Amino acid sequence: EIKQASKAHVNLVISYGGIAAARLMEERFGIPYVVGVPFGKDYADYLAGLLDRTAKNGQSLYAAKKAGKGKKKRLCLIGESVFATSLATAIEMEYDLDIQVLTPLDTITEILREGDRYTPEEDDLIEQLKYADGVIADPLYRALCGQMDFYDLPHEAFSGRIYDDQN
């Protein structure tokens, strides 16, 4: 199946780690890509439409976008850029929330949405969290959040396999 990869019409990149491979396949084989993870019905449908359009027009795209409906509550989502921006967009499409993505991991600016931040240092995170009503993050970030609402989202890039049993 790997040998057949060069025959794809479009690639779906579901993590920052896949960007380099997608760019290489675009360069060598002319295969465009879409960056995003299909969370929720609305965002998954949106992403499917982008994949179809990209397969037809050959233009690579970064799928995540700001999509807040009413922005009644502001949350910060800390995580890997592709995963976090996709999840944030999916949540915004379905609920009255405004979600800012904070990513402490390497990324490129094309993945981040308006208002999202690359926050490589703990002080950068703490500064952004001052304006949040709550946080969605790996439980190891709970100590930075004080008394604000905290929603556990374990991620192996942060806490390893500590929370594997809590499913």
Side-chain angles (χ1 to χ4, degrees):
E1 290 180 10
I2 297 285
K3 290 179 185 179
Q4 302 300 317
S6 64
K7 295 181 182 178
H9 297 286
V10 64
N11 282 315
L12 177 62
V13 180
I14 60 169
S15 75
Y16 175 70
I19 298 270
R23 286 179 170 172
L24 181 64
M25 290 186 76
E26 183 176 44
E27 180 184 306
R28 288 198 180 162
F29 307 114
I31 302 168
Y33 58 89
V34 173
V35 177
V37 181
F39 289 115
K41 181 180 178 353
D42 292 345
Y43 185 65
D45 288 347
Y46 168 74
L47 191 59
L50 291 182
L51 284 164
D52 185 52
R53 187 171 86 199
T54 296
K56 290 175 183 168
N57 71 16
Q59 182 181 353
S60 294
L61 296 169
Y62 296 87
K65 61 180 184 166
K66 287 300 279 184
K69 290 181 178 179
K71 301 181 182 306
K72 293 185 178 188
K73 187 172 185 180
R74 183 173 179 273
L75 300 176
C76 286
L77 193 160
I78 302 171
E80 183 274 328
S81 59
V82 175
F83 176 91
T85 57
S86 296
L87 182 57
T89 301
I91 293 169
E92 287 180 344
M93 291 175 89
E94 296 190 29
Y95 300 98
D96 277 346
L97 297 170
D98 179 26
I99 305 201
Q100 178 187 33
V101 169
L102 304 175
T103 184
L105 303 173
D106 284 342
T107 193
I108 54 176
T109 57
E110 293 90 346
I111 295 172
L112 300 177
R113 308 161 318 142
E114 182 182 334
D116 294 344
R117 299 282 181 265
Y118 171 55
T119 52
E121 303 294 330
E122 188 175 300
D123 289 342
D124 300 329
L125 280 169
I126 291 169
E127 181 62 30
Q128 292 300 313
L129 293 175
K130 288 179 183 177
Y131 310 103
D133 296 313
V135 176
I136 304 168
D138 187 277
L140 292 180
Y141 283 98
R142 186 181 297 274
L144 298 178
C145 299
Q147 298 301 312
M148 71 177 65
D149 292 338
F150 191 92
Y151 306 93
D152 288 352
L153 184 63
H155 195 285
E156 286 192 29
F158 301 110
S159 60
R161 296 189 175 104
I162 294 172
Y163 301 100
D164 279 355
D165 294 341
Q166 294 182 6
N167 245 346

